[in-house]
Amino acid sequence: MYPVDLHAHTVASSHAYSTLHDYIAQAKIRGIKLFAITDHGPDMVDAPHYWHFMNMRIWPRVVDGIGILRGIEANIKNTQGEIDCTGPMLEQVDLVIAGFHEPVFPPTTQEEHTEAMINAMANGDVHIISHPGNPKFPIDIEAVAAAAAKYNVALEINNSSFEHSRKGSGENCIAIADAVKRAGGYITFGSDSHTAFTLGDFANSAKIAAQVDFPEERILNVTPRRLLNFLEMRGKPIITEFVDF
Ligand SMILES: [Zn+2]
Ligand SMILES: [Zn+2]
């Protein structure tokens, strides 16, 4: 039903266990047409080296009809909203998701989390905020949703926040989806896979969207074209291998 997954980690992040090949095989099984590999930005303790991101250009764009996006899950580093994906890295990646991770940004106050997240969106390089519903990083949900709509940044309803990590995200995610709906912004679903077996798992995210009656036309995973149009609207170059997607 949702053929696009925008959040997956490979063995390049050492707490994840699958390869690009594993994800392609699983995409075929699950009917995923386009997915992004988004390993952790280099400031995270077990992240790949900067060269990992710079060399993603050697990946094929399409394998067996499945499109592969070169992504990063960058870290929001400070209240100025700086991220660990800058300069030439930004040109190598198709998709920048960014979020809070405790080793890089230890939780502080709701005011500071909100300020950092809004500045990260305002700075212009981030396309999606990962797991904004994380209860360890409370935010002013209304303010973040308004800024996300203003800057055309999607807020992620992270499917694994309900399975293994970030316990207590459920209520926050409902409030986020509802606030984004009212603000006129976008949401994305992300499996946040750390093994390929969960690629395309969106059952929890879809349940949240249904609960707030979120408009389907503003969920970016509904078709590959919708997501590609979003990235082009955000100023990313057209990827010629994907023109028929
Ligand atoms: Zn994350
Ligand atoms: Zn992740």
Side-chain angles (χ1 to χ4, degrees), residues 86-144:
T86 56
M89 280 173 84
L90 286 168
E91 281 150 47
Q92 292 304 322
V93 295
D94 305 318
L95 175 74
V96 178
I97 69 179
F100 294 126
H101 298 102
E102 285 170 82
V104 178
F105 190 124
T108 60
T109 61
Q110 174 166 319
E111 288 68 32
E112 290 197 346
H113 304 153
T114 303
E115 185 186 355
M117 198 176 274
I118 289 176
N119 283 335
M121 295 192 280
N123 290 346
D125 296 322
V126 175
H127 305 122
I128 300 170
I129 295 289
S130 56
H131 42 69
N134 187 352
K136 286 199 173 139
F137 291 92
I139 50 167
D140 178 338
I141 288 173
E142 296 297 323
V144 165

Side-chain angles (χ1 to χ4, degrees), residues 7 9 40 44 73 99-101 130-131 158 166 192 194:
H7 194 158
H9 299 273
H40 287 286
M44 189 74 155
E73 183 181 15
F100 294 126
H101 298 102
S130 56
H131 42 69
N158 184 295
R166 299 179 289 274
D192 201 358
H194 287 65

Side-chain angles (χ1 to χ4, degrees), residues 110-215:
Q110 174 166 319
E111 288 68 32
E112 290 197 346
H113 304 153
T114 303
E115 185 186 355
M117 198 176 274
I118 289 176
N119 283 335
M121 295 192 280
N123 290 346
D125 296 322
V126 175
H127 305 122
I128 300 170
I129 295 289
S130 56
H131 42 69
N134 187 352
K136 286 199 173 139
F137 291 92
I139 50 167
D140 178 338
I141 288 173
E142 296 297 323
V144 165
K150 176 178 172 188
Y151 298 117
N152 286 316
V153 174
L155 298 185
E156 178 191 67
I157 306 298
N158 184 295
N159 199 71
S160 40
S161 295
F162 309 93
E163 303 281 347
H164 305 294
S165 44
R166 299 179 289 274
K167 294 235 180 309
S169 295
E171 278 179 27
N172 291 340
C173 289
I174 291 169
I176 287 167
D178 186 57
V180 173
K181 174 187 166 184
R182 286 182 281 103
Y186 302 99
I187 59 170
T188 58
F189 299 159
S191 68
D192 201 358
S193 290
H194 287 65
T195 76
F197 303 112
T198 56
L199 185 74
D201 278 2
F202 300 131
N204 300 313
S205 307
K207 205 186 293 174
I208 298 276
Q211 242 170 302
V212 304
D213 199 17
F214 195 90

